[in-house]
Amino acid sequence: MDPLKALQTLYPPSRLLSRPAELLPYESDALTAYRARPLAVVLPETEEEVVETVRLCHRLGLPFVARGSGTSLSGGSLPVEGGIVIALNRLNRILRIDPLKRIAVVEPGVVNLDVSKAAQPYGLYYAPDPSSQPVSTIGGNLAFNSGGAHCLRYGMTVNHVLGARVVLPTGEVVSLGGEGLEGVGPDLLGLFVGSEGLLGIALQITLRLLPRPEKYHTLLAAYEALDQAGEAVSRVIGSGLLPGAMEIMDRLAIEAASAAVGADYPQAEALLIVELEGEALEVEREAQVLEEVIAQSGAYEVRVAKTEEERQRIWKGRKAAFSAVGRLSPDYLVQDGVVPRSRLGEALKEIQRLSERYGLRVANVFHAGDGNLHPLVLYDGKKPGELERAEALAGEILRLCIRLGGSITGEHGVGMEKKAYLAEMFSPEDLEAMERVRLEVDPGLLANRGKVFPGQGGG
């Protein structure tokens, strides 16, 4: 049966996109160096439509990719050539907020920040806060196990997802987890979170909500060298403090954020943002320790936010840093490697050396508290060979992370971008075990085909 004709039985023309101009916005995600054209894009409005679409794909052997806002930085929501995109943005209802159980039940197209807005009247919020939180969806956050600035203290998405109703690539609908923190039996929900769309599509997601902190203490410290800021992170952790967030920006990122959103930052080689949060008395005691540690770390300027407005101004620049770098370069690649905190300074020095060797600028913005580096490799795609040189430099950074005892990804996922490096991190036996699990759930390799595993074709 012709796939388009089959899809016409499920969707009206306004929600079945197949003309080239209609498909163009879906050909890429935030990793714009990769593009692919799907056969069609469907816009379901109900859970039942998603399930029926997946079942149709299973019958026809038609590959599919689930997509939210398309903010993936690893090519994770890139279409599959000849397959379909299931765009979930219209499934955007917050179905329930239960302040007693401290949970929210949402559809996959709900925007991350909207969960906290809905929970605010109850004194609650949703902790994972990726930089894309004003636009990225919970379904995408779940697929890639997103983190954010405050993941040091509160953990990643997987630590805040209690349950999910899921349609598997075969069309079977299953429930994973529940509404409590304790589960029974194998942690299938933990397997699903972070599986990058290879194991199916979440239809409903139960999220854990937390009480809003009583007090924040937000400090910004300026340094004359990037590795000094990295060493300061180790000092803070070594003091016994567990901040809500610790972020570092280098000179290029500072310059971009200042230009883009008017961030009033010192013109430093590196900035360290540290935020304490919790009960007022606890935060006040910790603030004294923090300021002593920072004073001994070589910072030449220290600012402490006195008001909520000043705090938000500090964070506005950091949250805008990725997009702001577009002011410095027509194109850039965002990397997502992880190194042990104790080796941050070493990693930053080596990235600077690699930048000089390849003749490409690298802006560094990262979650310093958990060693999650986000070096942005700046290049001009119109110059012959420059994209390839940028990709080679990005690959060197990933290999550096592996050598230092880290990982090739912290929260952006493997997607298309990093699948060639998976075999450098895992043994053939490890990869075979992962693929066996995937094949048990999706024997036709229909869900997000070509992503994650090396040797598989792409979109």
Side-chain angles (χ1 to χ4, degrees):
M1 185 178 184
D2 178 73
L4 279 178
K5 288 184 178 178
L7 290 167
Q8 287 168 1
T9 66
L10 297 179
Y11 294 94
S14 61
R15 295 196 286 118
L16 174 58
L17 313 180
S18 59
R19 290 179 295 187
E22 294 174 324
L23 300 178
L24 186 62
Y26 296 89
E27 289 183 359
S28 184
D29 56 18
L31 185 67
T32 55
Y34 292 83
R35 305 194 77 85
R37 178 168 292 184
L39 173 70
V41 175
V42 298
L43 306 174
E45 294 182 344
T46 66
E47 180 180 315
E48 291 73 21
E49 285 184 333
V50 178
V51 173
E52 288 305 312
T53 303
V54 171
R55 288 174 177 168
L56 176 66
C57 290
H58 179 62
R59 289 198 300 273
L60 299 180
L62 184 64
F64 63 87
V65 175
R67 176 186 168 116
S69 297
T71 57
S72 168
L73 288 160
S74 64
S77 49
L78 190 74
V80 177
E81 292 278 3
I84 67 166
V85 172
I86 303 175
L88 300 169
N89 300 77
R90 298 191 183 194
L91 276 76
N92 60 0
R93 295 179 301 159
I94 296 176
L95 302 172
R96 178 161 59 102
I97 299 281
D98 188 328
L100 294 179
K101 291 185 177 179
R102 293 182 179 173
I103 62 170
V105 181
V106 306
E107 292 183 320
V110 168
V111 169
N112 176 295
L113 191 57
D114 288 347
V115 180
S116 289
K117 289 179 180 177
Q120 186 172 2
Y122 307 102
L124 303 171
Y125 79 115
Y126 179 61
D129 60 340
S131 295
S132 59
Q133 70 176 150
V135 291
S136 65
T137 60
I138 294 296
N141 293 170
L142 182 151
F144 291 91
N145 193 24
S146 300
H150 290 81
C151 62
L152 168 64
R153 186 180 181 105
Y154 296 107
M156 312 290 280
T157 295
V158 70
N159 304 110
H160 300 271
V161 174
L162 300 175
R165 184 153 74 230
V166 173
V167 57
L168 303 178
T170 57
E172 180 184 358
V173 176
V174 298
S175 293
L176 309 175
E179 295 189 352
L181 291 172
E182 299 299 329
V184 177
D187 183 14
L188 298 177
L189 178 66
L191 176 68
F192 186 80
V193 177
S195 59
E196 302 195 28
L198 300 184
L199 302 182
I201 302 173
L203 304 168
Q204 284 189 20
I205 305 160
T206 302
L207 303 174
R208 175 189 177 206
L209 302 176
L210 297 179
R212 299 189 74 83
E214 183 181 354
K215 184 178 177 64
Y216 292 99
H217 180 87
T218 308
L219 176 149
L220 183 149
Y223 293 88
E224 294 177 347
L226 187 55
D227 58 305
Q228 270 188 311
E231 295 298 335
V233 171
S234 297
R235 286 174 177 263
V236 172
I237 296 296
S239 73
L241 294 175
L242 182 60
M246 281 199 290
E247 302 285 300
I248 289 179
M249 300 169 63
D250 73 359
R251 180 177 52 79
L252 282 175
I254 296 164
E255 178 187 331
S258 298
V261 298
D264 182 24
Y265 289 154
Q267 292 305 301
E269 287 300 310
L271 291 180
L272 171 64
I273 300 170
V274 185
E275 184 161 274
L276 305 172
E277 58 185 68
E279 295 181 0
L281 288 176
E282 175 191 17
V283 170
E284 288 166 8
R285 286 195 300 267
E286 290 183 343
Q288 295 175 3
V289 176
L290 174 62
E291 290 178 26
E292 289 173 8
V293 170
I294 295 299
Q296 297 167 8
S297 69
Y300 70 85
E301 183 177 343
V302 179
R303 299 179 186 176
V304 175
K306 302 295 188 207
T307 65
E308 178 61 20
E309 183 183 358
E310 289 181 8
R311 172 179 174 259
Q312 291 299 337
R313 203 155 49 234
I314 288 173
W315 281 114
K316 185 178 182 181
R318 167 59 188 91
K319 292 281 188 178
F322 279 10
S323 56
V325 168
R327 288 174 172 261
L328 305 181
S329 174
D331 302 288
Y332 58 91
L333 297 176
V334 183
Q335 266 308 344
D336 174 46
V338 181
V339 297
R341 279 191 301 260
S342 61
R343 308 192 76 173
L344 265 178
E346 183 181 349
L348 293 172
K349 282 182 179 178
E350 181 63 12
I351 290 172
Q352 188 171 12
R353 190 188 69 78
L354 289 168
S355 169
E356 293 168 359
R357 185 175 124 205
Y358 278 84
L360 295 171
R361 293 181 297 167
V362 177
N364 287 283
V365 184
F366 54 95
H367 307 316
D370 60 349
N372 190 182
L373 305 173
H374 291 318
L376 294 92
V377 181
L378 281 54
Y379 71 98
D380 185 348
K382 293 180 181 177
K383 294 182 178 178
E386 197 152 299
L387 168 60
E388 292 74 18
R389 202 158 84 248
E391 289 181 322
L393 171 53
E396 292 269 23
I397 293 172
L398 293 180
R399 292 189 176 100
L400 167 67
C401 292
I402 295 171
R403 283 201 310 275
L404 294 180
S407 167
I408 62 172
T409 181
E411 57 176 334
H412 294 175
V414 175
M416 289 291 295
E417 179 198 29
K418 303 189 191 77
K419 65 179 189 174
Y421 302 96
L422 204 65
E424 298 187 29
M425 183 172 168
F426 294 104
S427 70
E429 293 77 15
D430 289 334
L431 290 175
E432 183 187 356
M434 294 179 203
E435 294 203 62
R436 283 206 309 269
V437 171
R438 195 265 181 94
L439 285 167
E440 283 294 320
V441 178
D442 183 11
L445 298 178
L446 300 180
N448 221 4
R449 178 184 290 174
K451 312 294 173 55
V452 180
F453 292 109
Q456 292 186 7

